[in-house]
Amino acid sequence: MSDRWYEKAVVYCLDIDSFADSDGDGCGDIRGLIGRLDYLARLGVTCLWLNPIHPSPGLDDGYDASDFYNVDPRFGNLGDFAELLHQAGNRGIKVIIDLVVNHTSDQHPWFQSARSSPDSPYRDWYVWSETAPADRNQGMVFPGEQDETWSYDRTAKLWFYHRFYKFQPDLNIKNPEVREEIKKICSFWLQLGVAGFRMDAVPFIIEETEPGNPNSPKDMEFLTELRQHVQWRKGDAVLLAEANVEPDQLTKFFGDDGGSGNRIHMLFDFMLNAKLVLGLAREDPEQIIDALRDTPKLPAGGQWATFIRNHDEIDLSRLTAEQRKDVFDKFGPDENMQLYGRGIRRRLAPMLGNDRRWLELAYSLQFSLRGTPVLRYGEEIGMGDDLSLNGRDAIRTPMQWSLLPNGGFSTADPSKIGRPVISGGEYGFEKVNVTQQRHDAKSLLSWFERMIRTLRETPEVGGGTCTHVDVPVPRGVLVHRADDASGTVVFVHNLGKEAGVVDLSSLAGEAEFPNDVLADQEYPEPGKLDAIQVEGHGYRWIRLRRTV
């Protein structure tokens, strides 16, 4: 059994400004988050992932950092952050933060200096071109909101590169000084006590941009350098990366061609995420089975991070046009529900029609597949979205805590809250909030607590192998197993609406005392495993054996 903490973690992702406001100014803050740590501990969270915390002009929800060595004053100060790390640690919760070093804000002192003079020590910290590159209208991350990746700066009298928005100039990874600065940023936060970093847009961080070359080379060795540096500073620190690349490129982010796991510890599994959403839309697990079978072998210590909803849109760009259409038709039929022509900007509860059985099935499946589960704040209570907000803000509304004004998020006047709390209707805080669900043993929140407790008692999921069990099953049913030194658990999920029966007697020889450890309802004992019943949108976690 591995003792790598991230393999057994339950990761909870949140925006500080949308979680809990302690001082009534309308913006969530660190002290508000500290006050809710007991809630997260009870939920079963073992790792907090904080979206950008640095000072920022706020044009891209904090991803346009203007100072990497501080926290946004709206959230508090470094003393507050140190207290958060202390209090989280007291509850057994580690904290990782976003490392957004592909670019800076154009208001960052480095860029202001760089553009001011050819003699600036920071001029070569960014990517410039004397002429308009031929590929400046290619490679936009936000089509429809961007129309170029190179913009002209009148002060510098040069074109500068920005993979994202114009106000986010890219750093020049080819410059050794930039690389050392990124390491220094990591050292600072590790010394303060964070457990690692979620690295934003990793393929672009390592891109050695060449004007006019839309396929500029990538320096994978920088990931090796960074991994070594981080682990020398803190032995169990983790790098969790966002790299939505072609499947045959994935293993290069984990380690070199020699098979060493010397780069990123964890990658978000975008391919499995898209296939999981497709499976839910079609009520058919075939594409999920294909994704499990096609999973590349990872080096020792390499780990997937699974998710259904994250802080961005559901990215369907890796699906075929036909598959993407099926998902859009089912979960995002209106153009206002879609984003960038590739994704869906909705939370899961409204996507699934607020169908409790369907929601449980979806999260039971995600949390039982190989890897470390990542949960977006508010999903545990079935929060909705606000499609009247722009782009990704639709799923970034404040946490709904109670029946108090503003859902208990803040005592401020509603006009002072950046993104309004959802009010009224099926998903308003009046119907969907933590307090009411806390008092209901049958609520979605109570179910999440039970499910996560069960997962914590099922170490095979995070640390073991995950294999599709290839037996005849009714349409819509997926059977997979997790094996590790601690034992074996088999999982049965019915993505369809019709009940079914599965014969798993071929596994009986491995079973000692098979029993349900989690299920959507009471079922007959598994017995000889020859008639495993599962209802429509039902699920069963069946422990076959436990060795330790």
Side-chain angles (χ1 to χ4, degrees):
M1 295 174 63
S2 167
D3 60 356
R4 300 180 182 93
W5 68 263
Y6 57 87
E7 293 184 347
K8 308 297 195 310
V10 175
V11 181
Y12 190 91
C13 170
L14 63 87
D15 301 284
I16 290 179
D17 62 349
S18 299
F19 201 62
D21 172 18
S22 70
D23 57 11
D25 66 353
C27 179
D29 48 50
I30 295 171
R31 291 191 176 276
L33 173 54
I34 291 172
R36 298 295 184 174
L37 287 175
D38 288 325
Y39 164 79
L40 297 174
R42 175 170 173 169
L43 180 60
V45 171
T46 62
C47 178
L48 270 181
W49 157 28
L50 303 180
N51 289 143
I53 63 171
H54 304 309
S56 161
L59 299 180
D60 185 23
D61 216 22
Y63 289 89
D64 48 332
S66 55
D67 178 1
F68 291 108
Y69 293 100
N70 216 324
V71 296
D72 192 311
R74 298 179 306 143
F75 305 157
N77 55 42
L78 284 174
D80 295 324
F81 189 76
E83 182 67 10
L84 168 65
L85 296 177
H86 173 71
Q87 294 296 343
N90 284 347
R91 293 160 176 82
I93 299 175
K94 296 180 182 292
V95 178
I96 65 175
I97 64 172
D98 264 345
L99 181 68
V100 187
V101 290
N102 164 247
H103 51 252
T104 70
S105 164
D106 60 3
Q107 300 304 306
H108 196 293
W110 298 342
F111 187 71
Q112 289 298 310
S113 174
R115 68 196 291 260
S116 67
S117 167
D119 298 325
S120 165
Y122 296 103
R123 174 57 70 98
D124 193 42
W125 282 42
Y126 294 88
V127 184
W128 306 94
S129 176
E130 294 185 356
T131 58
D135 62 338
R136 74 183 183 96
N137 299 114
Q138 300 179 37
M140 283 80 72
V141 175
F142 304 127
E145 296 183 16
Q146 284 178 274
D147 54 17
E148 61 184 4
T149 53
W150 290 85
S151 293
Y152 187 71
D153 184 78
R154 295 182 182 277
T155 301
K157 297 182 174 58
L158 294 170
W159 293 81
F160 68 91
Y161 183 64
H162 53 92
R163 173 63 79 167
F164 292 84
Y165 293 113
K166 180 180 179 178
F167 52 80
Q168 294 168 321
D170 274 32
L171 288 166
N172 178 16
I173 195 64
K174 288 192 287 188
N175 185 335
E177 293 181 355
V178 170
R179 297 161 85 113
E180 290 306 307
E181 187 70 25
I182 292 173
K183 294 175 188 175
K184 191 165 76 170
I185 292 167
C186 292
S187 297
F188 176 85
W189 293 101
L190 290 171
Q191 189 67 32
L192 201 60
V194 303
F197 306 92
R198 176 264 184 184
M199 296 181 64
D200 184 62
V202 169
F204 302 143
I205 291 177
I206 60 175
E207 185 177 47
E208 297 184 324
T209 307
E210 299 172 347
N213 181 3
N215 298 305
S216 296
K218 291 179 171 55
D219 185 5
M220 305 298 295
E221 285 307 306
F222 178 61
L223 298 181
T224 307
E225 286 180 36
L226 191 63
R227 162 74 174 263
Q228 185 179 46
H229 176 82
V230 164
Q231 296 223 255
W232 271 110
R233 291 302 175 102
K234 188 171 186 176
D236 65 348
V238 68
L239 297 175
L240 167 59
E242 177 189 60
N244 192 358
V245 299
E246 295 296 333
D248 62 351
Q249 298 296 308
L250 287 170
T251 55
K252 295 181 180 179
F253 287 85
F254 284 106
D256 58 33
D257 293 337
S260 299
N262 57 358
R263 291 174 183 162
I264 300 298
H265 301 83
M266 303 174 68
L267 283 183
F268 288 104
D269 198 337
F270 283 95
M271 184 58 74
L272 180 61
N273 171 251
K275 295 296 180 67
L276 178 54
V277 175
L278 176 62
L280 292 171
R282 289 180 169 178
E283 300 186 1
D284 186 336
E286 283 304 314
Q287 293 295 324
I288 301 173
I289 294 170
D290 287 346
L292 293 177
R293 287 176 172 170
D294 295 341
T295 298
K297 181 176 175 56
L298 302 185
Q303 178 81 337
W304 298 109
T306 66
F307 62 101
I308 302 181
R309 289 305 291 115
N310 63 7
H311 60 297
D312 292 332
E313 75 280 5
I314 294 178
D315 190 341
L316 307 174
S317 59
R318 298 286 168 195
L319 299 181
T320 66
E322 178 186 5
Q323 293 169 340
R324 196 157 46 246
K325 182 179 184 302
D326 286 348
V327 177
F328 279 144
D329 288 348
K330 189 77 171 182
F331 296 143
D334 298 336
E335 188 173 341
N336 188 39
M337 299 172 176
Q338 303 171 17
L339 198 61
Y340 309 131
R342 66 176 184 235
I344 295 175
R345 65 186 200 105
R346 307 179 73 191
R347 278 191 180 263
L348 195 66
M351 281 174 56
L352 301 186
N354 211 16
D355 184 319
R356 172 64 180 274
R357 292 187 59 81
W358 210 0
L359 282 167
E360 284 189 22
L361 168 78
Y363 278 109
S364 169
L365 183 53
Q366 180 215 336
F367 275 63
S368 65
L369 292 170
R370 83 283 187 278
T372 299
V374 180
L375 182 67
R376 176 71 169 160
Y377 80 93
E379 291 292 298
E380 73 274 18
I381 60 171
M383 273 178 57
D385 43 51
D386 186 348
L387 296 177
S388 70
L389 299 177
N390 292 328
R392 295 167 166 178
D393 285 349
I395 60 167
R396 297 175 179 178
T397 57
M399 183 68 176
Q400 297 167 199
W401 293 104
S402 69
L403 288 168
L404 290 171
N406 301 318
F409 162 70
S410 173
T411 58
D413 185 279
S415 64
K416 294 184 178 180
I417 298 175
R419 286 183 290 270
V421 180
I422 296 175
S423 178
E426 190 173 4
Y427 302 99
F429 72 85
E430 300 87 351
K431 289 188 177 181
V432 178
N433 64 73
V434 170
T435 300
Q436 287 182 312
Q437 293 195 25
R438 170 68 69 236
H439 293 292
D440 180 1
K442 297 182 179 180
S443 69
L444 183 62
L445 175 60
S446 296
W447 176 83
F448 257 102
E449 291 176 355
R450 291 194 300 274
M451 186 267 289
I452 293 175
R453 282 199 302 270
T454 305
L455 178 71
R456 299 282 296 278
E457 296 176 346
T458 314
E460 297 86 354
V461 173
T465 60
C466 176
T467 313
H468 169 238
V469 179
D470 193 3
V471 296
V473 295
R475 185 183 184 278
V477 174
L478 168 66
V479 183
H480 70 282
R481 59 185 289 171
D483 296 89
D484 199 7
S486 57
T488 298
V489 182
V490 64
F491 305 91
V492 182
H493 288 88
N494 187 353
L495 280 67
K497 296 184 179 72
E498 302 297 323
V501 179
V502 182
D503 182 357
L504 295 179
S505 58
S506 58
L507 304 179
E510 304 176 53
E512 295 176 349
F513 179 68
N515 63 100
D516 285 304
V517 292
L518 185 72
D520 63 287
Q521 64 179 51
E522 289 291 333
Y523 287 104
E525 289 296 323
K528 297 179 180 179
L529 302 173
D530 56 348
I532 300 298
Q533 301 174 26
V534 60
E535 288 295 319
H537 290 168
Y539 55 89
R540 298 177 70 172
W541 296 18
I542 303 172
R543 177 163 288 285
L544 295 187
R545 62 186 180 89
R546 184 74 186 240
T547 56
V548 291

